[in-house]
């Protein structure tokens, strides 16, 4: 496959997309809505040749302790069109280890992408175009069966059902448990009759079951364009969204929304601007649990392949 055809893959179904271990120790959050209000993101750095390859590497998810990175790749050694891969590191300052393919039953010979895990690492949500779904692509959940030195063992994926999945594509999944809410949520995107792609969310139980119908989040959805994937901070006060809306730097840009509490509507968006956004694709954000690290997908110069994973960091206002 040529680089051009791989890029088309990203912007066709993959552009619709965009770890796993439980926390060894609870992490103190203590975040405030304005904690990073005056902070600037550092110049993004490529995650390097261990994570990125000459193929397409994108659409990351982080475990609660940030020791496990899940991402999507078309590199050799996979089972199908797009597969989910996992890399681990022993500490936050340690190097990422060689990625391994999650294998069956998570990956199939179809597109499997947009991995996101619950805070305890027991649930893995992702998008798949495998046969047997409601439409072109559906949201699935898999339960962790066991974990050990050789990694996690995942059960057979379960379709989230008609409260989430339709005859259209449901993609770009992101799991978060927001303060003050009795249940966790899974955010995702869905095409509309008007031609846009908008952001929805559904409440899910501790077992990953949909608790009612998914609902549109209007303040996150531009009815004229492609709104792709969100990352919500663990305090529920900040949300990053990749979108093709007007006012950006290029193709996909990353935008920031804030709110005073998890029960309030989101603010109007602000574009993250340089050095995060460029005239190239900059998308599929994921935040570390403390909000200080952002990993995202980009096709900017300096990468190893068609699309790479990049990282940037920030410090709280006033060094808090």
């Amino acid at each position: 496959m040529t680089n051009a055809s791989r890029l088309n893959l990203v912007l066709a179904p993959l552009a619709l997309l965009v770890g796993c271990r439980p926390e060894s120790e609870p992490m103190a959050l203590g975040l405030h809505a304005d904690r990073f209000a005056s902070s600037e993101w550092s110049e993004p750095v490529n995650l390097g040749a261990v994570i990125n390859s000459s193929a397409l590497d994108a659409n990351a998810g982080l475990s609660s302790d940030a020791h496990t990175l899940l991402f999507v790749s078309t590199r050799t050694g996979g089972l199908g069109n797009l597969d989910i891969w996992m890399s681990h590191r022993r500490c936050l300052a340690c190097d990422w280890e060689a990625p391994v393919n999650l294998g069956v039953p998570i990956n199939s010979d179809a597109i499997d992408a947009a991995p996101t895990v619950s805070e305890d690492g027991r649930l893995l949500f992702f998008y798949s175009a495998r046969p047997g779904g409601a439409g072109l692509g559906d949201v699935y959940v898999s339960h962790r069966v066991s974990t050990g030195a050789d990694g996690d063992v995942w059960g057979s994926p379960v379709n989230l059902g008609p409260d989430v999945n339709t005859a259209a594509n449901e993609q770009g999944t992101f799991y978060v448990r927001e303060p003050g809410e009795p249940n966790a949520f899974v955010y995702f995107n869905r095409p509309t009759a008007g031609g846009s792609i908008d952001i929805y969310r559904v409440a899910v139980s501790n077992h990953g079951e949909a608790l009612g119908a998914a609902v549109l989040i209007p303040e996150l959805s531009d009815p004229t364009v492609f709104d792709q994937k969100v990352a919500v901070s663990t305090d529920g006060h900040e949300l990053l969204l990749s979108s093709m809306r007007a006012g950006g730097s290029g193709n996909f840009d990353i935008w920031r929304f804030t709110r005073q509490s998890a029960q309030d509507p989101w603010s109007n968006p602000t574009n993250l601007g340089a050095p995060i956004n460029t005239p190239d694709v900059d998308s599929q954000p994921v935040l570390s649990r403390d909000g200080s690290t952002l990993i995202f997908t980009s096709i900017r110069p300096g990468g190893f392949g068609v699309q790479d994973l990049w990282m940037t960091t920030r410090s709280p206002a006033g060094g808090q």
Side-chain angles (χ1 to χ4, degrees):
M1 182 183 291
T2 66
N3 283 355
S5 60
R6 280 185 180 142
L7 180 57
N8 287 337
L9 175 65
V10 177
L11 299 181
L14 178 60
L16 300 177
L17 310 173
V18 186
C20 298
R21 301 186 187 279
E23 295 177 86
S24 56
E25 295 180 4
M27 303 179 83
L29 300 183
L31 301 182
H32 304 285
D34 61 350
R35 186 176 184 227
F36 293 104
S38 60
S39 299
E40 295 185 359
W41 290 104
S42 66
E43 187 71 31
V45 296
N46 190 286
L47 286 191
V50 172
I51 299 300
N52 293 310
S53 68
S54 60
L56 184 151
D57 302 290
N59 214 343
L62 272 175
S63 62
S64 293
D65 61 6
H67 288 181
T68 302
L69 178 74
L70 295 170
F71 65 99
V72 172
S73 183
T74 58
R75 67 186 62 198
T76 58
L79 301 181
N81 197 325
L82 284 167
D83 276 10
I84 299 173
W85 294 71
M86 182 274 292
S87 178
H88 186 69
R89 60 182 177 183
R90 298 182 183 276
C91 67
L92 295 181
C94 297
D95 293 333
W96 291 108
E97 299 170 1
V100 296
N101 189 287
L102 288 193
V104 176
I106 300 303
N107 290 316
S108 67
D109 60 2
I111 293 174
D112 303 291
T116 180
V117 291
S118 59
E119 76 283 352
D120 60 6
R122 297 179 183 275
L123 300 175
L124 168 62
F125 295 87
F126 63 103
Y127 149 74
S128 181
R130 65 187 62 201
L136 299 176
D138 283 5
V139 178
Y140 289 79
V141 62
S142 180
H143 295 75
R144 194 183 67 197
V145 175
S146 64
T147 188
D150 295 330
D152 297 321
V153 176
W154 295 98
S156 296
V158 177
N159 190 291
L160 258 62
D163 283 334
V164 174
N165 296 311
T166 68
N169 269 314
E170 278 77 29
Q171 307 184 63
T173 45
F174 182 82
Y175 172 99
V176 66
R177 183 175 290 278
E178 301 173 14
E181 295 287 353
N183 302 293
F185 293 97
V186 172
Y187 289 76
F188 61 94
N189 69 54
R190 176 190 291 165
T192 68
S196 65
I197 297 177
D198 291 345
I199 302 298
Y200 290 73
R201 77 173 187 179
V202 62
V204 293
S205 71
N206 290 337
H207 299 289
E209 302 158 328
L211 300 174
V215 297
L216 173 72
I217 310 298
E219 64 266 33
L220 301 180
S221 302
D222 185 323
T224 65
V225 298
F226 185 173
D227 296 305
Q228 186 191 47
K229 185 176 180 179
V230 309
V232 184
S233 64
T234 51
D235 64 356
H237 291 170
E238 181 181 29
L239 181 146
L240 301 182
L241 166 69
S242 51
S243 175
M244 298 180 75
R245 62 188 59 201
S249 304
N251 195 315
F252 278 104
D253 272 12
I254 299 176
W255 300 74
R256 182 177 188 257
F257 299 72
T258 59
R259 60 186 179 183
Q260 291 299 310
S261 78
Q263 289 69 49
D264 292 330
W266 292 103
S267 69
N268 291 328
T270 57
N271 189 287
L272 288 191
I276 306 301
N277 293 318
T278 69
D280 297 308
V281 170
D282 304 290
S283 65
Q284 299 165 340
V286 62
L287 281 168
S288 63
R289 189 171 175 83
D290 65 0
S292 64
T293 300
L294 165 63
I295 295 175
F296 65 102
T297 303
S298 182
I299 62 170
R300 68 185 62 204
F304 290 85
V306 175
Q307 201 169 26
D308 279 12
L309 292 171
W310 295 72
M311 181 186 74
T312 178
T313 59
R314 63 183 175 180
S315 298
Q320 297 176 3

